[in-house]
């Protein structure tokens, strides 16, 4: 294969094949791939990089999934197991609104005590009080809520949407390859089930994002298979708003291992921009890579830096705790020569910083 021929053709619109994506990640030149990804990003988003102000509210840490890569979950009997009260969640939402936040991500675990009635009541209570977007519950949570409530996923999604759920984050995707999932998260939904939940949500008008956690025991082939599956679903539904790749953090986890290099992260990120030609937005992950690499991701295909993260507990549980204010993220973007803009959940610009 000739990487320069491949990159030249892809920049002009030819779809990248799985075989070529694997070749580029394994043997391609980092800067050449980054340049091609940046050309596509610059064509679609010539001078603007977006971010959002939101809050991850981890409403519970009780989870029956017990993924080996997670340092956050607890058993129900553990002394530090918790379920936030409505009042605690309301207080966090009020703090979020005071800091100009427009979205909350309610994410916890597979808590066997929380059936769909709990979420319907919670979402209705939030929507009745606050003008905020509920971008919450990953596909595994939705599948689990349906299972323990003894209803179909379609009914669960319809009822949750009616109660106030606006959209789904890509949580729980990790790597959508079953031999990987069986090894690190055997109690979580299969790759096929994750994609089924997302497809049903999209068919019901509930859009979502797609994520990928890389740098654990996954291979390059696994990562490309993951991207191929979400590209195929996007061809069918068009329901994914963005792709968000982040790197596994081994601290305090059962799985252990090493942190993925920033070079591998940037190369995979750039290939994702080339491969996912039907995705509008690619997000850089400063939350797991730090501010400097997050800034560099803007030259490797990313057009969005996600959230300033008023609160985040899952990555923090591994010992990684980056934080950034609104002023810092604006300065980070502006120092690349681009314009910073605050967006909402559907990627509409609501504030510009020129």
């Amino acid at each position: 294969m000739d990487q320069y021929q491949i990159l030249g053709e892809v920049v002009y619109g030819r779809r990248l094949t799985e075989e070529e994506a694997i070749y580029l990640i394994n043997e391609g030149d980092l800067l050449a791939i980054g340049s091609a990804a940046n050309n596509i990003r610059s064509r679609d988003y010539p001078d603007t990089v977006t971010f959002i102000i939101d809050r991850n509210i981890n409403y519970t840490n009780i989870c029956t999934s017990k993924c080996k890569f997670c340092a956050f979950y607890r058993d129900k009997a553990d002394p530090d197991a918790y379920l936030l009260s409505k009042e605690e969640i309301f207080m966090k939402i009020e703090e979020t609104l005071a800091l100009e936040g427009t979205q909350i991500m309610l994410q916890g675990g597979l808590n066997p005590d929380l059936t769909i009635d709990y979420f319907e009541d919670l979402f209705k209570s939030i929507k009745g009080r606050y003008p905020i977007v509920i971008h919450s519950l990953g596909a595994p949570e939705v599948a689990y809520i349906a299972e323990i409530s003894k209803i179909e996923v379609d009914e669960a999604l319809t009822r949750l949407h009616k109660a106030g759920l606006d959209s789904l984050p890509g949580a729980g995707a990790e790597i959508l390859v079953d031999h990987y999932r069986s090894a690190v998260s055997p109690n979580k939904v299969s790759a096929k089930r994750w994609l089924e939940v997302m497809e049903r949500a999209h068919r019901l008008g509930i859009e979502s994002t797609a994520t990928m956690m890389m740098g654990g025991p996954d291979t390059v082939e696994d990562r490309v298979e993951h991207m191929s599956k979400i590209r195929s679903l996007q061809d069918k539904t068009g329901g994914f708003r963005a792709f968000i790749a982040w790197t596994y953090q081994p601290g305090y986890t059962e799985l252990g291992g090493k942190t993925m290099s920033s070079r591998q992260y940037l190369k995979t990120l750039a290939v994702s921009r080339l491969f996912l030609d039907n995705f509008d937005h690619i997000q850089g992950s400063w939350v797991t890579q730090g501010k400097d690499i997050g800034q560099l991701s803007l030259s490797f295909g990313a057009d969005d830096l996600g959230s300033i993260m008023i609160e985040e507990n899952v990555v923090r549980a591994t010992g990684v705790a980056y934080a950034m204010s609104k002023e810092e993220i604006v300065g980070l973007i502006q120092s690349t020569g681009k314009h910073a803009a605050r967006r909402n959940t559907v990627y509409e610009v609501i504030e510009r910083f020129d």
Side-chain angles (χ1 to χ4, degrees):
M1 292 186 188
D2 183 331
Q3 64 173 321
Y4 297 104
Q5 181 179 348
I6 294 169
L7 294 172
E9 291 173 359
V10 170
V11 166
Y12 283 99
R14 178 177 63 82
R15 177 163 270 194
L16 190 66
T17 68
E18 291 183 40
E19 183 182 19
E20 290 168 339
I22 292 168
Y23 164 71
L24 290 175
I25 295 175
N26 280 332
E27 301 181 45
D29 178 76
L30 172 65
L31 297 182
I33 298 168
S35 177
N38 191 50
N39 281 341
I40 293 176
R41 184 207 60 77
S42 299
R43 182 186 63 202
D44 297 337
Y45 309 97
D47 62 355
T48 299
V49 173
T50 51
F51 69 93
I52 189 170
I53 299 177
D54 72 356
R55 183 169 196 158
N56 269 18
I57 301 177
N58 302 113
Y59 58 94
T60 183
N61 63 352
I62 298 169
C63 184
T64 60
S65 190
K66 303 180 180 180
C67 299
K68 296 176 183 176
F69 58 81
C70 180
F72 177 72
Y73 77 83
R74 294 292 184 274
D75 285 321
K76 188 176 178 179
D78 285 340
D80 53 350
Y82 73 80
L83 172 66
L84 295 182
S85 67
K86 266 189 182 180
E87 288 67 30
E88 288 173 308
I89 292 173
F90 291 164
M91 181 190 70
K92 289 175 182 288
I93 293 172
E94 288 166 11
E95 290 174 350
T96 303
L97 289 168
L99 292 168
E100 303 180 279
T102 58
Q103 165 185 288
I104 54 168
M105 297 178 70
L106 284 160
Q107 296 187 102
L110 310 186
N111 187 324
D113 293 332
L114 305 182
T115 62
I116 193 162
D117 296 335
Y118 166 85
F119 293 98
E120 286 181 300
D121 177 60
L122 178 61
F123 291 170
K124 287 177 182 175
S125 299
I126 292 171
K127 287 292 192 179
R129 286 170 172 77
Y130 307 109
I132 199 151
V133 171
I134 301 178
H135 177 63
S136 300
L137 303 179
E141 288 173 284
V142 172
Y144 187 72
I145 291 165
E147 179 184 343
I148 64 172
S149 304
K150 303 185 187 313
I151 58 177
E152 297 296 324
V153 164
D154 276 353
E155 181 182 345
L157 285 165
T158 300
R159 288 172 60 176
L160 292 168
H161 191 35
K162 186 177 180 182
L165 177 68
D166 292 292
S167 54
L168 298 177
E174 282 82 57
I175 293 288
L176 293 171
V177 177
D178 281 333
H179 70 80
Y180 172 94
R181 301 177 77 80
S182 297
V184 304
S185 53
N187 301 318
K188 192 172 273 185
V189 293
S190 66
K192 180 181 178 183
R193 186 62 165 162
W194 189 96
L195 291 160
E196 283 176 351
V197 173
M198 284 298 181
E199 181 169 357
R200 292 180 184 190
H202 295 173
R203 302 289 186 199
L204 291 167
I206 306 169
E207 293 188 330
S208 71
T209 53
T211 60
M212 178 171 75
M213 183 188 76
M214 55 184 172
D218 53 282
T219 64
V220 170
E221 287 77 6
D222 292 336
R223 282 179 236 157
V224 173
E225 182 176 339
H226 174 104
M227 289 192 279
S228 182
K229 287 176 177 175
I230 62 171
R231 185 172 75 173
S232 294
L233 181 55
Q234 183 76 332
D235 281 341
K236 292 169 66 177
T237 68
F240 289 121
R241 292 172 177 155
F243 175 68
I244 303 159
W246 55 287
T247 52
Y248 163 65
Q249 304 299 313
Y252 307 114
T253 67
E254 178 184 346
L255 188 61
K258 297 180 179 179
T259 305
M260 184 182 194
S261 72
S262 295
R263 181 179 184 278
Q264 269 293 303
Y265 164 74
L266 289 171
K267 186 182 272 190
T268 307
L269 178 77
V271 169
S272 77
R273 170 60 84 181
L274 302 174
F275 190 82
L276 298 173
D277 58 346
N278 52 3
F279 276 65
D280 288 337
H281 302 286
I282 302 291
Q283 186 179 119
S285 179
W286 66 269
V287 176
T288 56
Q289 286 292 306
K291 297 175 187 176
D292 292 342
I293 299 301
Q295 185 183 48
L296 203 53
S297 74
L298 302 180
S299 298
F300 283 78
D303 65 284
D304 183 88
L305 277 183
S307 168
I308 68 167
M309 292 280 185
I310 295 171
E311 178 181 355
E312 198 289 319
N313 296 304
V314 177
V315 174
R316 186 177 293 269
T318 68
V320 175
Y322 296 111
M324 194 141 53
S325 67
K326 175 181 171 182
E327 292 71 26
E328 282 181 296
I329 200 167
V330 168
L332 199 75
I333 294 167
Q334 289 178 332
S335 63
T336 67
K338 299 179 175 65
H339 297 292
R342 185 162 66 95
R343 65 168 173 85
N344 60 19
T345 307
V346 297
Y347 288 80
E348 295 170 336
V349 171
I350 56 177
E351 185 178 12
R352 290 190 178 275
F353 305 88
D354 294 321

